[in-house]
Amino acid sequence: MHRPALCLFASLMTLPACADGELPGIPPWTGDDAATADVPTWRPEGEFGLDQPRGALVLGDAEGSHAGWSVAPAGDLNGDGFGDVVVGAYSDARGGELSGSTFIFYGPLQGDLSASNADAVLIGEGAYDYSGWTAGPAGDVNGDGMDDVFVSAYGDDTIGPGSGAVYIVYGPVQGQMSLADADVKILGAAAYDNAGIAAASAGDLNGDGIDDLVIGSYGADAGGPDAGAAFVFMGPISGHLNTNNAHVRIDGVLPGQWVGYSVASAGDMNADGRDDLIVGAVGTPMHGEDTGAAFLFLGPITSDRTVLQADAVVHGAAAGDRLGVTVAGAGDLNADGYADVIIGTPYADVDGMVDAGAAYVIYGPWSGTRGAHQANAMFTGTDTDDQAGFSVSAAGDVDADGYDDVIVGVLHDDRGAADAGAAAVFYGPASGVRSVNDADLSFLGLTSGDRAGGAVASAGDVNGDGRSDLLIGAHGYDGRADDAGAAWLVLGGGF
């Protein structure tokens, strides 16, 4: 799933929309699906334009809406047995200027689709909310047997300017609704907390059988100004809350550490039957200002703590790397029974190339403190300002070989066109250092400024054919209007 660009500005007194790269149609398939459903292991390789594989294209329908800024699977929100998808457009204006919207499409998907024809549209409450900054599956947080969806709006000002909010809408989800009518609203506790800059399903951290939610709030001040925090809400979750109501909080300990800039479930990294949690803190000054770090917390997680109590830590290699802009569970890349993680560092310099970026894989079990250079695998950008690792995600098992795979977004990749972007898939097992140009499978943006790979995710299995599908956002795509944005669903087996 996409983690946002980071805006570093001298004062947090305003909340501007981030400029691209800063830190704060596919034709219908005419073949026979039934004939491919039971095909054994296959291994697609090489580079493809995003218009080549079969699948679906979701087009933003308004100038500057930036559809595809976030993309994610949504579980099965309507209970029909097919996976659904979520596409966020943080600057859509349906609810006011930059209020943002989130579009939900029920699976199976095929052909060209418009955001305005989504099966459900969740509209930001007010101007400058930036709703849809991140959005995705919440699991089943109310225990009713139906999947739920969350939407973040880090600019929400209910408590104060930039306090932020995260909403949950219980499944089934359909039609158009304002997030003011969401089933759950969790508010940032204070102005400029920016709650919802990151959010994710946390799995089941306390082992009670009900899914939990984690919210990042990089501006929280308990550990010092902008030390940041991550807040865990244990399911069942209902009603109107704020981050002070969290069951567990994980605080930064240094001013400007920005703990909670990214958050994700790590899966079960130590194979003890409990889900674990990974939290990014891009301002951690391990080797100088903004080296960045990611902290692992093993489940069960039932009490407050600070990042000093993390079970494992990985830190960037140099000042300004800002390791932890994105974090994600990676599945099990080496098929050893332990979950693995992937960590994006789009501002890492590689072989003298400024902001070429990198993504690091760490295999479970993971303990202790290590540097990024000690990762089990490293995927790097190949040119200055590639920003590889701007988004990272598990990819499922794309080639059906029994090893999970990962996908890495390369925001400013130029292979398709200048800043067209790309998404690079690396098959498991992964090891050593590889460049994104050497990926097993790459999907290239089509036109200048598309910024394909700004968001990437596994879509699960949207069409029910047993193969892993992929989501790739391109928030700069101009298909319907300038920067209207788009998201591609690439179906497994669709080459």
Side-chain angles (χ1 to χ4, degrees):
M1 164 186 322
H2 163 74
R3 284 293 328 117
L6 180 62
C7 284
L8 290 177
F9 35 86
S11 170
L12 292 176
M13 296 303 290
T14 60
L15 283 171
C18 289
D20 286 320
E22 293 179 0
L23 264 176
I26 298 173
W29 173 245
T30 57
D32 182 1
D33 281 333
T36 65
D38 297 317
V39 172
T41 299
W42 65 299
R43 193 175 179 89
E45 295 180 341
E47 295 179 355
F48 296 84
L50 274 170
D51 57 350
Q52 290 180 271
R54 71 180 176 110
L57 168 62
V58 175
L59 291 161
D61 59 4
E63 182 176 357
S65 64
H66 293 110
W69 177 258
S70 59
V71 297
D76 181 9
L77 294 171
N78 61 339
D80 66 350
F82 292 97
D84 308 321
V85 300
V86 172
V87 177
Y90 77 90
S91 53
D92 186 80
R94 282 169 169 78
E97 186 175 5
L98 297 174
S99 57
S101 293
T102 301
F103 306 99
I104 296 171
F105 294 85
Y106 297 152
L109 281 70
Q110 185 171 294
D112 290 358
L113 306 167
S114 172
S116 58
N117 298 126
D119 294 291
V121 183
L122 309 179
I123 300 171
E125 285 195 71
Y128 301 99
D129 275 2
Y130 309 126
S131 73
W133 187 262
T134 187
D140 179 13
V141 297
N142 61 337
D144 68 350
M146 293 291 296
D147 289 328
D148 311 316
V149 64
F150 75 84
V151 177
S152 78
Y154 83 91
D156 180 271
D157 62 0
T158 301
I159 297 297
S163 50
V166 174
Y167 305 84
I168 300 175
V169 179
Y170 299 152
V173 181
Q174 59 186 0
Q176 183 170 295
M177 66 176 288
S178 168
L179 287 171
D181 300 318
D183 296 289
V184 179
K185 182 175 183 178
I186 303 172
L187 300 172
Y192 309 113
D193 273 4
N194 301 125
I197 194 68
S201 173
D204 181 10
L205 292 173
N206 61 344
D208 66 352
I210 301 178
D211 291 315
D212 309 321
L213 185 76
V214 58
I215 296 172
S217 181
Y218 73 82
D221 295 333
D226 297 333
F231 299 93
V232 176
F233 289 81
M234 306 294 186
I237 307 171
S238 62
H240 281 209
L241 308 165
N242 71 44
T243 50
N244 285 338
N245 303 126
H247 294 88
V248 175
R249 63 180 295 152
I250 300 169
D251 284 301
V253 295
L254 298 169
Q257 192 171 15
W258 283 28
V259 169
Y261 189 76
S262 58
V263 294
S265 171
D268 183 4
M269 292 201 74
N270 60 341
D272 68 347
R274 297 292 179 88
D275 290 322
D276 308 320
L277 184 67
I278 185 168
V279 178
V282 297
T284 302
M286 183 67 72
H287 297 299
E289 186 176 3
D290 297 335
T291 300
F295 300 90
L296 176 71
F297 298 89
L298 299 175
I301 300 171
T302 57
S303 60
D304 294 349
R305 61 200 66 193
T306 73
V307 292
L308 295 179
Q309 296 165 292
D311 294 288
V313 183
V314 60
H315 54 78
D321 274 5
R322 299 164 192 161
L323 181 141
V325 168
T326 52
V327 296
D332 185 3
L333 288 166
N334 58 344
D336 66 349
Y338 295 92
D340 310 319
V341 294
I342 184 168
I343 301 161
T345 310
Y347 305 98
D349 299 342
V350 178
D351 295 332
M353 294 177 292
V354 176
D355 294 346
Y360 304 98
V361 170
I362 298 178
Y363 288 156
W366 170 26
S367 61
T369 298
R370 68 176 72 184
H373 66 285
Q374 296 170 301
N376 296 99
M378 176 178 175
F379 310 125
T380 65
T382 57
D383 290 299
T384 295
D385 199 38
D386 263 0
Q387 293 188 23
F390 189 86
S391 58
V392 295
S393 176
D397 184 5
V398 175
D399 59 345
D401 67 348
Y403 295 93
D404 288 328
D405 312 317
V406 291
I407 184 168
V408 177
V410 191
L411 186 68
H412 291 153
D413 188 285
D414 295 329
R415 281 175 286 174
D419 292 339
V425 177
F426 294 89
Y427 295 145
S431 62
V433 179
R434 296 172 62 185
S435 79
V436 293
N437 285 11
D438 187 41
D440 295 293
L441 183 61
S442 291
F443 300 99
L444 308 182
L446 304 176
T447 57
S448 181
D450 280 358
R451 293 170 173 81
V456 295
S458 169
D461 180 12
V462 173
N463 61 341
D465 68 352
R467 287 191 168 138
S468 298
D469 307 323
L470 300 172
L471 284 165
I472 300 169
H475 61 270
Y477 187 70
D478 297 334
R480 290 282 168 86
D482 286 348
D483 290 335
W488 273 266
L489 170 69
V490 177
L491 295 175
F495 299 89

